[in-house]
């Protein structure tokens, strides 16, 4: 099976002729970047799909987070979850900000608002919660804290493309939300990202910052960066967006197949999105409790790998354990016990629309065989 590997994801691939048609138009216009036709169309279409009033494309979510920090004029300390991809925290550091880690909530794995508020000091300028695996944070609590403590609220929505809570799109929370359109995401442009902003002023600032801070050919208003999405990436996005409903349906099918086979295993919990709204369908995540399952998450991950199944430990180690951050006072393990446990137990299984039922059976077969407490066996046998 090593020669038939299953990776944690496989990007959606639209029919090549659809992309070729966009490329034909692009080459006729001889415009490959700097807000061309594909860029402008994709920006409009995504604002519509995501249900947000002010939306800007960027070349990836990491640059997007940095642009957001600058647009919000953040200073000093920003409170953040350690249980995230390094990009979230690195973006703060690149902007000269100090990340302050606060623990996550045990069930949602998202930043715990109570712990975030405990970390607020006179130097804090913002809170940066992550909608981890696309599961929406406790936005009501964060809104309330941000209003009361006069802080900015910047959401990392890298995993949350198209997610809604009830009818409310995830991009409408906070001051700015940053989405990733990396190839590993449900919707992708190869590399790419986007920012939804609460106000037109914020969007104007973001648009200025992503284009070097240039107002016109003779005037630079602010020290911006090159955060523009190219026409080639935007064209890929336009084509992929046409197929998003079909990809979502396929992922929902794969999720059901997994759930049918895994939900009865003792010591394994399928992490489900909160009910009521459109879910992310970005990752399929399980939590392994070694005492009941009979094997640790790490041993299971290694066993899967031996069989050509490349699950991923998103996100282990914690950002707070990585070299640039481990000496921060807020990185102390006693401050982050829920995050430490989660990082040891969670595993992202292969999950994408092109997975067949045979693929799912293969992954589940390995997991079921590893589980000491299969339903037909007595508990703790
Ligand atoms: N905030 C959060 C919470 C994030 O998770 C991320 C990124 C960001 C911010 C920053 O977003 P961007 O700046 O990237 O827009 C991947 C992605 O590169 C990264 O975007 C993503 N999160 C992270 C969770 O996953 P790696 O290092 O795990 O990627 P890699 O190359 O190991 O890919 C995973 C598997 O996917 C491979 O084993 C095979 C498959 N794959 C990957 C690519 C790129 C393909 O089949 N085709 C491909 O083209 O980080």
């Amino acid at each position: 099976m090593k020669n038939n590997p299953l990776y944690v994801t496989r990007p959606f691939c639209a029919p090549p002729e659809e992309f070729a048609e966009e490329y034909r138009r692009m080459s006729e216009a001889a415009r490959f970047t700097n807000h061309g036709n594909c860029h402008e169309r994709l920006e409009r279409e995504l604002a519509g799909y995501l249900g947000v009033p002010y939306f800007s494309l960027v070349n990836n979510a990491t640059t997007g987070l940095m642009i957001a920090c600058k647009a919000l004029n953040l200073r000093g300390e920003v409170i953040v979850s350690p249980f995230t991809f390094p990009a979230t925290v690195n973006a703060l550091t690149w902007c000269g900000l100090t990340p302050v880690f606060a623990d996550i909530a045990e069930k949602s794995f998202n930043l715990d608002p109570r712990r975030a508020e405990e970390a607020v000091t006179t130097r804090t300028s913002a809170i940066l919660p992550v909608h981890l695996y696309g599961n929406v944070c406790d936005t009501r609590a964060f809104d309330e804290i941000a209003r009361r403590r006069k802080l900015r609220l910047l959401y990392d929505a890298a995993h949350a493309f198209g997610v809604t809570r009830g009818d409310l799109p995830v991009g409408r929370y906070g001051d700015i939300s940053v989405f990733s359109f990396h190839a590993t995401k449900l919707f992708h442009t190869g590399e790419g990202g986007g920012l939804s902003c609460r106000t037109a002023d914020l969007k104007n600032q973001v648009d200025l910052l992503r284009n070097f801070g240039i107002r016109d050919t003779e005037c630079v208003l602010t020290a911006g960066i090159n955060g523009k999405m190219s026409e080639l990436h935007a064209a890929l996005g336009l084509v992929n967006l046409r197929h998003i409903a079909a990809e979502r349906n396929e992922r929902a099918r794969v999720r059901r197949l997994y759930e049918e086979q895994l939900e009865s295993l003792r010591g394994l919990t399928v992490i489900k999105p909160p009910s009521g709204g459109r879910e992310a369908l970005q990752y399929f995540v399980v939590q392994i409790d070694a005492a009941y399952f009979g094997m640790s998450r790490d041993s299971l991950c290694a066993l899967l790998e031996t069989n050509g199944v490349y699950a991923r430990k998103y996100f282990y180690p914690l950002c707070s354990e990585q070299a640039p951050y481990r000496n921060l006072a807020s990185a102390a393990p006693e401050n982050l016990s829920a995050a430490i446990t989660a990082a040891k137990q969670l595993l992202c299984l292969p999950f994408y629309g092109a997975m067949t039922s045979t693929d799912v059976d293969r992954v589940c077969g390995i997991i079921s065989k590893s589980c000491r407490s299969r339903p037909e066996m007595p508990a703790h046998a």
Side-chain angles (χ1 to χ4, degrees):
M1 282 302 195
K2 274 271 189 191
N3 53 5
N4 181 19
L6 285 178
Y7 296 109
V8 69
T9 192
R10 183 182 155 79
F12 171 76
C13 299
E17 54 280 11
E18 293 188 23
F19 184 75
E21 175 55 22
E22 291 295 343
Y23 176 71
R24 192 186 57 74
R25 284 197 241 168
M26 194 186 306
S27 50
E28 273 170 19
R31 176 169 281 261
F32 291 97
T33 188
N34 290 6
H35 316 113
N37 177 272
C38 291
H39 181 279
E40 299 303 281
R41 275 157 60 211
L42 183 63
E43 202 163 80
R44 270 197 310 276
E45 287 190 23
L46 283 175
Y49 186 88
L50 294 171
V52 295
Y54 307 109
F55 183 75
S56 301
L57 287 170
V58 286
N59 53 8
N60 59 62
T62 310
T63 314
L65 285 163
M66 289 161 55
I67 289 174
C69 291
K70 295 282 182 194
L72 293 169
N73 202 16
L74 301 189
R75 295 275 180 271
E77 299 175 353
V78 175
I79 296 162
V80 66
S81 164
F83 193 41
T84 182
F85 193 61
T88 316
V89 187
N90 290 351
L92 297 175
T93 307
W94 270 69
C95 290
L97 299 160
T98 305
V100 174
F101 297 112
D103 209 357
I104 58 170
E106 266 171 32
K107 289 217 164 69
S108 69
F109 309 109
N110 284 328
L111 186 65
D112 182 338
R114 199 173 45 85
R115 300 300 305 274
E117 181 157 23
E118 284 167 8
V120 174
T121 70
T122 50
R123 294 177 297 281
T124 311
S125 61
I127 307 177
L128 168 46
V130 182
H131 300 298
L132 197 82
Y133 310 136
N135 297 336
V136 184
C137 294
D138 186 348
T139 52
R140 197 173 305 165
F142 285 121
D143 270 348
E144 204 271 320
I145 295 167
R147 193 174 33 78
R148 195 158 33 77
R149 308 296 291 252
K150 298 192 175 20
L151 301 174
R152 293 297 213 164
L153 200 44
L154 165 60
Y155 282 106
D156 182 332
H159 302 169
F161 182 79
V163 168
T164 64
R165 176 187 277 151
D167 290 334
L168 197 63
V170 73
R172 292 204 175 223
Y173 295 112
D175 294 299
I176 297 183
S177 299
V178 180
F179 297 87
S180 170
F181 307 144
H182 183 262
T184 52
K185 300 298 185 290
L186 164 73
F187 165 76
H188 75 91
T189 59
E191 287 275 1
L195 288 78
S196 73
C197 302
R198 192 167 50 77
T199 63
D201 280 354
L202 273 175
K203 178 180 162 52
N204 289 339
Q205 193 60 16
V206 164
D207 289 353
L208 196 63
L209 284 160
R210 76 176 169 185
N211 189 33
F212 315 99
I214 290 175
R215 188 190 65 190
D216 56 49
T217 48
E218 296 190 3
C219 174
V220 173
L221 283 178
T222 183
I225 197 170
N226 184 352
K228 291 171 277 114
M229 178 180 279
S230 82
E231 284 294 274
L232 286 155
H233 293 89
L236 191 54
L238 284 168
V239 170
N240 285 345
L241 195 56
R242 291 179 207 149
H243 299 273
I244 192 74
E247 175 64 10
R248 286 188 58 86
N249 286 340
E250 289 304 312
R251 287 182 179 222
R253 171 188 60 81
V254 173
R255 167 172 270 280
R256 280 193 299 276
L257 290 173
Y258 264 131
E259 284 175 355
E260 278 163 21
Q261 298 196 51
L262 297 181
E263 276 189 333
S264 58
L265 297 181
R266 207 183 298 266
L268 180 152
T269 308
V270 173
I271 304 306
K272 297 210 168 167
S275 53
R278 184 162 63 184
E279 61 167 306
L281 295 167
Q282 172 58 49
Y283 295 108
F284 185 84
V285 191
V286 295
Q287 184 171 22
I288 304 295
D289 182 340
Y292 289 93
F293 188 78
M295 185 183 267
S296 70
R297 184 280 310 268
D298 284 354
S299 303
L300 177 63
C301 188
L303 181 70
L304 286 163
E305 197 164 322
T306 310
N307 287 277
V309 175
Y310 298 91
R312 292 293 285 266
K313 303 173 197 174
Y314 292 140
F315 290 100
Y316 172 86
L318 296 174
C319 290
S320 50
E321 294 166 337
Q322 302 286 9
Y325 305 114
R326 64 172 72 118
N327 292 328
L328 291 173
S330 65
E334 56 274 22
N335 186 39
L336 304 169
S337 55
I340 289 169
T341 303
K344 281 189 193 139
Q345 294 189 332
L346 294 177
L347 189 62
C348 292
L349 301 180
F351 185 62
Y352 46 91
M355 271 186 94
T356 64
S357 57
T358 313
D359 294 333
V360 177
D361 289 350
R362 181 173 150 206
V363 180
C364 294
I366 301 163
I367 297 175
S368 302
K369 276 195 211 116
S370 322
C371 177
R372 183 176 58 180
S373 317
R374 289 194 297 277
E376 68 271 19
M377 295 176 77
H380 304 293

